[in-house]
Amino acid sequence: MEMILTKQPKFLLKRHHLPLLRHFCTEHNSPLPQVSESSIIITQALDVLLQTPDNEWTSSPQIKNLLFSSTSLSPQLFFQITRRFPSSSRALSFFNFLQSNLPTEANTSSLSYAYQAVFELAIRERMSPESLFDLYKACKDQNIPLSINSATLLIRFFGKVSMYDYSLLVYNELDNNLRNTHVRNVLIDVLLRCDHDRDAFNVLDEMLDRESQFPVNELTGDIVFYALMRREHVKNSVTDEELVGLVCKFAEHGVFPNAVWLTQLITRFCRKGKTDEAWDVLHVLMKFDAPLEAASCNALLNALGREGDFKRMNQLFTEMKENDIEPSVVTFGTIINRLCKLYRADEALEVFEKMIAGKETAEISVEPDVIIFNTLIDGLCKVGKQEEALGLIEQMRLRLQKGCMPNAVTYNCLINGFCKSGNIEKGLELFHLMKQEGVTANVVTLNTLVDGMCRHGRINSAVEFFQEVTRKGLCANAVTYTILITAFCNVNNFQGAIKWFDDMSRAGCSADSVVYFTLISSLCQAGRMNDASLVVSKLKEAGFRPDIVCYNHLISGFCKKKMLDKAYEVLQEMEDIGMTPNSVTYNTLISFLSKSGNFSAARRVLKKMVKEGLEPTVVTYGALIHAFCVNGHVDEAMKIFKELSSSSNVSPNTVIYNILIDSLCKNNQVELALSLMEEMKVKEVRPNTNTYNAMFKGLRQKNMLDKAFKLMDRMIEHACHPDYISMEILTEWLSEAGQTEKLKKFVQGYAVSAAPA
């Protein structure tokens, strides 16, 4: 059976592991028998034995003289002779000969070694597991004690052929004093490889006992941690909490997982969101002064950074220095990266300055690499500190000999920062500087500048720049064309957008679904439904399928063009492919049908919506109420409103109240409108300026000046500022009523009603 460490990655077989390998290949405290006599004696004895028939060995004086003289008698001699027989059967005959002729005082040890050689030959001959087990039973029946090497040979062999029960039997039948650490390590390795973790950990628990005669060693740790790390789950035999305890128990014996195992273990915990367990493992090892490396700490720092736990990040960084764990460039890079991602660029810059100032302060100095510079530059640009980021370029140039030359990523970060701040000229200046310094611009550079120009309304400049750089050989990609298509759509230049879409296909750039959806959405909003339908056809030809948002845009577009049949066709297509319409789909149809005065159809759609398990939203009710009001059916609108208020889980909002109040006032139902105002106060729905304007118009028609004063006080109380419509209504009305003083107070923000508002 192959040794466990030979299957590990090559980088684990370091020089300091070689003694472990040798230790694993030989028995502990029982070295491989060495020949003390001359090889001439062994050769002579073997020649005579092989030339003499087995049944004549007893009667051969020469054999007895060679083997049993006092000068040559030794267990090692018999081991070497036995293992050189050409077959296990003849070796077994020789063993029987020894058993009959050896003096009593040399019998036990010599026979044990001779039988070990028989086992070796049998395994080399690929004897069947059953036959080998019979050979083992014969050994036990004759009361021949197994040597430690015999035990490990058998345990490994039976484990290799997946007969772990036999491996356990061999181990259990050994004398207690022979079950040393080496034998236990072999058995644990076999059991873990056979996925019999419970039995393996039973043996391990005995070794981890503080009073154990045969405690764990470094090789035990390698075997166990290798098994745990190569399997994501250990058949539920070890929970993550128990794994932390296992590391602690090993540590009590001075055995620690190596840097590779520990880093994998911490990473495994962190990926599961169990940062606390990872923290506990690392600090248990720190407590026992384990030889830790930065890689393990970096894995934990990265996880803490993802969680935004900078308190523990700082604590761990401090503990690294206290425990003489030298931070690496990855350590600093991890901290700087996480700070930048949380827009804490100033703190990231402080870490960077400490990093490069180590030599001057007699602390650890780590030379930053280009990745750290790029991370910091990007972080500074994202918080609007482009000039500080630009200053880091100079520091990079000072480190050219150390391989810290600014690259395309460096310039792309800077260009992106300046473009987002609207400084397109500086972005272009950096683009030209790239070429001067021999840094090749890439498609990210192109996209960043084109996007920056488009976002700041310089679409023509973006097109000119695009044409210039692509003519010089810089290839655009789908993202480039998507930026331009979106920009043209945003300024309603749909002919230009479609042209760029066609250019994209001619350039061999495969459009993704985002490009299609962007174009379809924009065309639908502009009412260009024929063009939108054409793009939908191309989308399907490209192997994509419209999503729910795309279908909703199409239905909305057809409704706006009063093409209800087409809208229903889209709805039918959705249902045919198994896509369930959502609230937006139904609300769009209900709104259109209601505005068209087709209330029966709108109610049918509403029923279908409810049947599909969708709750009508405030938008649904708002569309119906608004349509009834617009068509002069205020009473119907109020019925829906009452249904909404009493039986629905949806609460009416300010928009719905405004629609009803405005319609009621226009229909001379001002008292009912005032009651809705009071209801808004009770339900804590905040009126806006439009609400008050509608009420002022209604109250003026009824000349209900006192009510108007109270509403003016409420506006002041709720800091709802009047607009020009409010002032126009009140100025004309109060001037006619001779109440200009109250109007002045209102404008100045003072109460105007005699009674409390």
Side-chain angles (χ1 to χ4, degrees):
M1 181 176 180
E2 293 181 351
M3 300 300 103
I4 183 168
L5 290 179
T6 61
K7 288 192 176 183
Q8 295 181 11
K10 290 184 179 179
F11 63 82
L12 294 175
L13 298 179
K14 299 179 181 177
R15 185 180 299 275
H16 66 272
H17 284 150
L18 294 178
L20 291 177
L21 281 171
R22 289 194 292 270
H23 175 64
F24 198 29
C25 295
T26 60
E27 63 179 69
H28 182 64
N29 293 330
S30 182
L32 192 68
Q34 301 294 317
V35 180
S36 58
E37 285 75 16
S38 167
S39 59
I40 296 175
I41 297 175
I42 297 170
T43 304
Q44 286 178 346
L46 194 62
D47 287 342
V48 174
L49 287 164
L50 292 175
Q51 292 172 10
T52 306
D54 298 4
N55 58 0
E56 296 180 9
W57 288 346
T58 304
S59 59
S60 171
Q62 185 180 6
I63 291 174
K64 288 186 176 181
N65 184 55
L66 283 168
L67 296 178
F68 305 130
S69 65
S70 59
T71 57
S72 60
L73 185 64
S74 74
Q76 292 86 353
L77 175 75
F78 297 128
F79 172 78
Q80 293 294 340
I81 293 172
T82 310
R83 76 188 315 205
R84 296 190 188 190
F85 275 95
S87 68
S88 60
S89 58
R90 294 213 67 187
L92 190 57
S93 296
F94 180 65
F95 167 81
N96 292 330
F97 167 72
L98 290 177
Q99 191 176 28
S100 301
N101 292 276
L102 271 173
T104 304
E105 62 273 10
N107 192 298
T108 301
S109 180
S110 298
L111 292 178
S112 180
Y113 280 131
Y115 220 98
Q116 176 185 326
V118 174
F119 283 133
E120 287 185 10
L121 287 169
I123 292 172
R124 199 179 304 157
E125 292 170 358
R126 299 188 177 180
M127 180 181 284
S128 71
E130 292 77 12
S131 298
L132 187 65
F133 188 69
D134 289 340
L135 196 61
Y136 164 71
K137 285 196 295 184
C139 175
K140 295 295 293 181
D141 291 343
Q142 297 177 71
N143 294 318
I144 307 299
L146 286 182
S147 67
I148 290 178
N149 276 354
S150 295
T152 56
L153 279 170
L154 292 170
I155 290 169
R156 288 192 190 108
F157 176 82
F158 289 127
K160 190 174 182 180
V161 296
S162 301
M163 298 173 68
Y164 90 100
D165 288 335
Y166 285 4
S167 296
L168 268 176
L169 181 64
V170 171
Y171 171 79
N172 288 330
E173 290 184 349
L174 277 176
D175 290 339
N176 286 335
N177 62 335
L178 294 180
R179 296 181 198 169
N180 62 15
T181 298
H182 171 63
V183 174
R184 292 168 189 255
N185 284 346
V186 173
L187 180 64
I188 290 170
D189 177 38
V190 165
L191 293 172
L192 289 175
R193 286 175 179 271
C194 293
D195 293 334
H196 289 283
D197 307 309
R198 179 176 297 178
D199 293 316
F201 285 111
N202 285 339
V203 177
L204 181 62
D205 286 342
E206 294 176 5
M207 299 174 74
L208 288 171
D209 189 275
R210 292 182 180 179
E211 305 299 324
S212 176
Q213 183 183 357
F214 300 110
V216 294
N217 60 16
E218 288 184 26
L219 188 55
T220 321
D222 278 344
I223 292 167
V224 173
F225 291 120
Y226 171 72
L228 294 175
M229 291 302 102
R230 72 189 172 96
R231 289 180 283 175
E232 183 64 23
H233 301 288
V234 192
K235 302 294 182 185
N236 298 321
S237 58
V238 179
T239 65
D240 290 331
E241 292 73 17
E242 289 171 338
L243 191 50
V244 175
L246 192 61
V247 172
C248 184
K249 287 181 180 179
F250 268 104
E252 289 174 358
H253 289 274
V255 177
F256 314 107
N258 63 35
V260 175
W261 300 148
L262 180 57
T263 304
Q264 288 183 7
L265 180 60
I266 289 172
T267 302
R268 173 173 153 182
F269 281 140
C270 293
R271 281 177 181 168
K272 292 180 177 181
K274 296 188 174 183
T275 314
D276 290 341
E277 282 79 357
W279 179 273
D280 290 343
V281 164
L282 197 60
H283 283 78
V284 161
L285 296 174
M286 284 183 180
K287 175 184 174 183
F288 285 98
D289 296 322
L292 300 174
E293 295 183 14
S296 306
C297 299
N298 293 343
L300 182 53
L301 282 170
N302 193 41
L304 293 170
R306 281 198 302 270
E307 296 176 1
D309 191 348
F310 285 97
K311 181 179 179 182
R312 287 205 290 182
M313 283 186 79
N314 289 330
Q315 181 182 337
L316 179 56
F317 185 70
T318 302
E319 289 171 341
M320 286 177 70
K321 291 188 283 186
E322 291 173 353
N323 288 275
D324 296 324
I325 305 168
E326 186 170 343
S328 65
V329 68
V330 177
T331 311
F332 287 101
T334 299
I335 296 171
I336 290 170
N337 179 48
R338 290 301 166 189
L339 287 168
C340 287
K341 284 190 174 180
L342 290 173
Y343 303 100
R344 297 167 66 170
D346 288 338
E347 294 173 58
L349 196 57
E350 288 178 13
V351 173
F352 173 79
E353 289 169 353
K354 288 179 183 177
M355 175 183 180
I356 61 177
K359 289 180 180 178
E360 299 174 6
T361 59
E363 293 186 10
I364 296 169
S365 176
V366 177
E367 195 64 36
D369 59 11
V370 68
I371 296 173
I372 286 183
F373 273 107
N374 289 347
T375 302
L376 195 51
I377 287 170
D378 186 54
L380 288 167
C381 288
K382 283 179 177 174
V383 295
K385 297 192 174 185
Q386 289 82 10
E387 294 300 331
E388 287 186 53
L390 198 58
L392 290 174
I393 288 276
E394 296 304 319
Q395 291 199 40
M396 294 182 76
R397 291 194 180 108
L398 294 174
R399 290 175 167 81
L400 289 180
Q401 294 181 344
K402 297 176 181 178
C404 211
M405 179 178 178
N407 58 19
V409 176
T410 316
Y411 283 101
N412 288 343
C413 291
L414 283 165
I415 291 169
N416 184 51
F418 281 107
C419 284
K420 283 188 174 176
S421 67
N423 194 345
I424 308 298
E425 306 309 326
K426 188 65 179 180
L428 287 168
E429 183 184 322
L430 287 166
F431 172 73
H432 295 303
L433 183 61
M434 285 178 75
K435 293 192 288 184
Q436 292 174 15
E437 295 195 350
V439 179
T440 304
N442 56 26
V443 70
V444 177
T445 321
L446 168 62
N447 293 345
T448 303
L449 282 162
V450 169
D451 183 59
M453 293 176 192
C454 289
R455 285 179 183 274
H456 289 86
R458 297 175 57 174
I459 298 177
N460 290 335
S461 299
V463 172
E464 289 173 7
F465 178 74
F466 171 87
Q467 292 171 340
E468 178 188 346
V469 297
T470 52
R471 191 167 52 247
K472 292 180 180 179
L474 184 56
C475 294
N477 63 8
V479 176
T480 323
Y481 287 100
T482 303
I483 292 167
L484 289 165
I485 290 167
T486 304
F488 274 80
C489 286
N490 289 339
V491 294
N492 296 326
N493 187 344
F494 300 106
Q495 285 299 121
I498 292 171
K499 174 190 171 296
W500 282 109
F501 181 77
D502 293 336
D503 287 351
M504 182 180 185
S505 300
R506 283 194 291 271
C509 293
S510 298
D512 60 12
S513 59
V514 176
V515 179
Y516 288 104
F517 293 157
T518 301
L519 199 50
I520 292 166
S521 169
S522 299
L523 290 169
C524 288
Q525 289 174 17
R528 300 183 58 150
M529 298 312 298
N530 289 336
D531 290 333
S533 298
L534 181 62
V535 177
V536 170
S537 298
K538 290 184 177 181
L539 176 143
K540 292 175 181 177
E541 289 172 6
F544 299 110
R545 191 178 77 173
D547 62 4
I548 187 70
V549 176
C550 182
Y551 277 120
N552 286 343
H553 279 302
L554 288 167
I555 290 172
S556 178
F558 282 124
C559 286
K560 286 177 183 176
K561 297 295 286 185
K562 298 182 179 179
M563 301 168 69
L564 187 57
D565 290 343
K566 287 287 187 182
Y568 277 130
E569 284 180 16
V570 174
L571 183 64
Q572 187 61 51
E573 182 182 323
M574 290 175 67
E575 293 174 347
D576 290 344
I577 64 170
M579 184 177 289
T580 305
N582 61 13
S583 297
V584 176
T585 318
Y586 288 113
N587 288 344
T588 303
L589 288 167
I590 290 168
S591 177
F592 171 73
L593 292 167
S594 300
K595 286 177 183 177
S596 303
N598 194 347
F599 295 107
S600 59
R603 287 191 177 276
R604 284 198 299 270
V605 174
L606 179 59
K607 286 181 180 179
K608 185 177 181 182
M609 179 181 182
V610 174
K611 185 179 178 182
E612 293 291 334
L614 293 171
E615 284 284 336
T617 65
V618 69
V619 177
T620 317
Y621 288 106
L624 285 167
I625 290 170
H626 180 259
F628 276 118
C629 288
V630 168
N631 285 276
H633 302 297
V634 182
D635 291 340
E636 289 295 321
M638 285 301 296
K639 285 181 184 178
I640 295 173
F641 175 76
K642 287 175 182 177
E643 177 188 335
L644 172 64
S645 300
S646 60
S647 60
S648 173
N649 293 324
V650 180
S651 298
N653 60 12
T654 304
V655 175
I656 289 178
Y657 276 107
N658 286 353
I659 293 168
L660 285 167
I661 289 170
D662 183 58
S663 297
L664 289 168
C665 288
K666 286 177 180 177
N667 282 274
N668 208 27
Q669 298 182 53
V670 180
E671 289 80 4
L672 187 53
L674 280 170
S675 69
L676 290 182
M677 284 289 293
E678 291 304 314
E679 186 178 309
M680 290 179 76
K681 186 176 182 180
V682 171
K683 292 188 175 180
E684 297 182 348
V685 180
R686 192 180 182 89
N688 59 21
T689 307
N690 292 334
T691 322
Y692 287 106
N693 289 346
M695 284 303 314
F696 288 144
K697 288 177 184 177
L699 291 171
R700 184 183 180 186
Q701 289 175 358
K702 289 278 193 176
N703 199 29
M704 300 172 69
L705 200 54
D706 289 341
K707 296 289 185 185
F709 290 155
K710 289 181 179 180
L711 288 182
M712 290 164 69
D713 287 348
R714 278 179 65 179
M715 283 189 79
I716 293 168
E717 181 185 346
H718 294 105
C720 182
H721 302 292
D723 61 9
Y724 75 95
I725 296 174
S726 316
M727 293 308 301
E728 183 178 315
I729 297 167
L730 293 173
T731 301
E732 290 181 6
W733 186 13
L734 296 182
S735 296
E736 291 173 359
Q739 297 287 349
T740 53
E741 287 300 320
K742 289 198 174 186
L743 180 61
K744 287 179 183 178
K745 284 187 176 183
F746 174 69
V747 172
Q748 293 169 355
Y750 295 109
V752 298
S753 175

